[in-house]
Amino acid sequence: FPEGYDALTDFQARGLSIRLGEPVRSVARHAGRIAVTTTRGVVMADRVVVTLPLGVLQSGQPDLSDVLGEPHRRAIEALGMGVLDKLVLRFPQIFWDRRRDWIEFVPATGSEWAEWVDLTASTGAPALMGFNAAGTARRVERLSDRAVVQRAMTVLRTIYGEDIPAPRDAQVTRWAHDPFSLGSYSFNAVGSRPQMRTDLARPASGSRVFLAGEATDRHHFGTVTGAYLSGARAARQVLRTLPQH
């Protein structure tokens, strides 16, 4: 998507009333309905679809303890939330081999910036994107943007020599520190089972609360495909609970 993934959500949201800048604090049962408490007040609903990332569900904020069943809670606790951070560097010119889309580097120690991808064809500018994952990503997230770029350039200069140019621009992700994500996407942690994702996708609170998001898709978790399909599944679940006309 040349303009970003929000092309999907913008298209789907046409004609809908979207309230932004209003973080949810809790979702609870109230008089046969569902009360969604936000920073601006309480919204009463007959049905609620929760699309919070697994990392946010694991944090306990917002509080969903009143609406989720024990199978949901077990799944949230057992599944893992991973981190995959990216660094995009835009350069004044290309200094790498354009015949290779992927660049792999095995450092003598550590694992920082061991993988890069050439973005030139997709962005129209000389650019490389590097990756850090798991514990390495969490450690690097604590650094300033300047320090992150410096350490990445040390790796690139190890590969291509000291004479390569400095980047003109840089963009750094910190998914583990994003309060609305607290990670990049879910994975099957030791002790978890595939059935737990199915459990997480089941309606809760008497079929008034429904969960969606990549973590709830048993077959495509960790992907935008899984997130999209889970939303369609949650919508079908909601429709099945509505009166038939």
Side-chain angles (χ1 to χ4, degrees), residues 10-221:
D10 288 349
F11 178 81
Q12 300 255 344
R14 292 175 304 168
L16 299 179
S17 174
I18 308 294
R19 293 163 59 168
L20 304 176
E22 192 173 348
V24 173
R25 297 305 186 212
S26 67
V27 180
R29 291 171 289 186
H30 181 76
R33 302 183 75 197
I34 302 297
V36 181
T37 301
T38 77
T39 54
R40 297 186 182 181
V42 179
V43 178
M44 299 303 299
D46 293 319
R47 308 289 188 277
V48 171
V49 177
V50 176
T51 62
L52 297 169
L54 178 64
V56 177
L57 292 173
Q58 291 174 333
S59 75
Q61 294 296 326
D63 182 6
L64 276 68
S65 59
D66 187 55
V67 296
L68 298 183
E70 184 58 30
H72 298 93
R73 288 190 283 270
R74 284 198 301 266
I76 291 169
E77 181 179 353
L79 293 169
M81 188 62 170
V83 182
L84 180 65
D85 280 326
K86 301 174 183 178
L87 167 66
V88 177
L89 299 175
R90 185 166 71 89
F91 294 93
Q93 72 262 359
I94 296 171
F95 55 81
W96 54 90
D97 185 352
R98 285 300 316 282
R99 297 172 299 175
R100 304 287 183 266
D101 291 328
W102 287 87
I103 302 162
E104 305 288 342
F105 173 67
V106 181
T109 59
S111 58
E112 284 187 27
W113 310 119
E115 188 173 54
W116 295 83
V117 62
D118 184 358
L119 295 183
T120 306
S122 57
T123 65
L128 292 175
M129 180 167 65
F131 301 89
N132 278 327
T136 298
R138 294 180 187 275
R139 290 193 298 272
V140 172
E141 282 196 14
R142 295 195 288 266
L143 303 175
S144 67
D145 284 5
R146 181 177 181 181
V148 170
V149 173
Q150 286 177 338
R151 291 168 74 137
M153 286 303 298
T154 296
V155 172
L156 289 176
R157 288 187 171 118
T158 300
I159 302 172
Y160 295 105
E162 293 293 331
D163 295 333
I164 65 173
R168 286 181 171 174
D169 296 296
Q171 187 171 4
V172 182
T173 69
R174 288 183 175 83
W175 288 112
H177 283 76
D178 185 331
F180 298 109
S181 299
L182 298 179
S184 302
Y185 43 73
S186 66
F187 67 94
N188 289 331
V190 175
S192 65
R193 295 176 289 106
Q195 177 62 33
M196 290 179 171
R197 296 186 186 274
T198 302
D199 293 341
L200 196 57
R202 296 189 190 283
S205 292
S207 293
R208 291 192 177 276
V209 175
F210 306 83
L211 279 76
E214 55 84 16
T216 70
D217 191 287
R218 183 167 178 165
H219 301 291
H220 302 284
F221 59 89

Side-chain angles (χ1 to χ4, degrees), residues 226-243:
Y228 185 93
L229 292 176
S230 75
R233 182 259 307 151
R236 291 192 298 270
Q237 289 174 322
V238 171
L239 290 174
R240 284 196 290 268
T241 69
L242 299 179

